[in-house]
Amino acid sequence: MTDSRPILFFDSGVGGLSVLAPTRLLLPQAPFVYVADNAGFPYGIKTEAEIAARVPALLGRLAERYDPRIIVIACNTASTIALAHVRHALELPIVGTVPAIKPAAQSSKSRVIGVLGTDATVRQPYVDRLSAEFASDCTVLRHGSADLVQAAEARLRGEAPDPRIFARAMAGLTDQPGGDRLDTVVLACTHFPLVEAELRAAAPHPIDFVDGSAGIARRTAYLTQGQSWPDVPGDGLAVFTAPLPGADALAPALAAYGLSRIVTP
Ligand code: DGL
């Protein structure tokens, strides 16, 4: 008996592709449904109340529609605000994406680390708790950038984003007190690994970038170990919650992540 239920990935946009990529490598037979809530995009400038109301309700409808075996919330903003609500509302295993502060603190030599996320993520008590638990001997600088989310979306559509966006994002950290000693930056928004090369090039001094995607892939593989998969997984599905005017421009990037069918309302 093969089990054809997919793994459902969820983000506001294309950011979750940075988590999908390592998961596909670990689970090559898994069928994937990747949902981008472009009707609600961007999440990073929404209030906590908006995210906490929207994400569990939407995931409930998506779980009914696609019958996934597991859901990966490939979005730091949704996870740091709504993970507990989603777990409470759904019976399924839910993997969240939260800022990789622990590995950053483990590897930082200067003991100054940065958390680069959305405005909503960097102000979350969840980030306070991770910093207190895993980086209490570090200075933790935080910066939120909405432009960087848009730049990553543009990049996946094949556009060349304005390089000043990357310089401003890095300066948002390095211009803070202690920022000259910053040696490790947590990419605390799943969109940002998609523009890591640009961020690295814009950094005023050498900086290591850390994100949680490999750990999330391992966790997803662990939670589904021993389960059966279709012999041939078929094409991955990219589902959008609103019409997508740039679908043609985005299609090649989605296909590169194994998502060759696009579904829009
Ligand atoms: N990709 C999302 C995250 O990890 C949010 C981007 C947005 O919609 O602002 O936080």
Side-chain angles (χ1 to χ4, degrees):
M1 271 280 284
T2 61
D3 183 347
S4 60
R5 287 176 305 156
I7 297 177
L8 192 148
F9 270 71
F10 179 79
D11 184 32
S12 58
V14 297
L17 296 174
S18 67
V19 185
L20 176 64
T23 311
R24 284 180 70 216
L25 291 179
L26 289 186
L27 297 170
Q29 279 173 279
F32 290 101
V33 173
Y34 182 92
V35 180
D37 181 18
N38 60 327
F41 176 88
Y43 281 3
I45 54 173
K46 287 192 157 41
T47 65
E48 282 73 0
E50 284 173 299
I51 301 284
R54 183 179 186 87
V55 172
L58 181 53
L59 281 173
R61 292 198 295 278
L62 291 164
E64 272 185 21
R65 171 75 183 79
Y66 293 104
D67 188 26
R69 64 181 79 202
I70 187 168
I71 292 178
V72 179
I73 305 181
C75 174
N76 290 261
T77 311
S79 300
T80 54
I81 296 172
L83 187 55
H85 304 279
V86 175
R87 287 194 169 133
H88 186 73
L90 301 183
E91 297 282 311
L92 288 163
I94 312 289
V95 179
T97 304
V98 300
I101 289 172
K102 184 179 177 182
Q106 281 168 343
S107 67
S108 169
K109 291 194 173 52
S110 69
R111 312 314 287 155
V112 181
I113 66 175
V115 177
L116 188 60
T118 64
D119 293 306
T121 295
V122 298
R123 66 171 182 255
Q124 289 314 306
Y126 208 121
V127 177
D128 301 340
R129 289 197 294 275
L130 290 172
S131 304
E133 189 171 353
F134 300 115
S136 57
D137 66 333
C138 291
T139 300
V140 182
L141 308 175
R142 304 183 194 190
H143 180 65
S145 171
D147 286 353
L148 211 46
V149 175
Q150 299 287 355
E153 291 277 332
R155 174 92 163 56
L156 274 259
R157 288 192 301 266
E159 298 162 21
D162 182 345
R164 285 172 298 188
I165 293 174
F166 306 109
R168 271 203 304 269
M170 290 311 299
L173 291 169
T174 56
D175 287 356
Q176 293 184 41
D180 53 331
R181 289 184 294 117
L182 177 75
D183 70 352
T184 310
V185 168
V186 180
L187 298 176
C189 168
T190 53
H191 279 76
F192 299 170
L194 302 173
V195 290
E196 184 177 326
E198 288 87 342
L199 288 168
R200 190 181 304 280
H205 59 262
I207 284 176
D208 287 333
F209 292 92
V210 174
D211 69 75
S213 55
I216 293 155
R218 283 195 301 274
R219 180 81 188 140
T220 306
Y222 173 79
L223 290 173
T224 55
Q225 70 183 354
Q227 297 185 6
S228 72
W229 302 98
D231 294 333
V232 182
D235 298 339
L237 201 62
V239 177
F240 292 84
T241 56
L244 187 66
D248 288 348
L250 192 56
L254 293 173
Y257 288 87
L259 307 171
S260 45
R261 287 183 297 152
I262 297 179
V263 176
T264 54

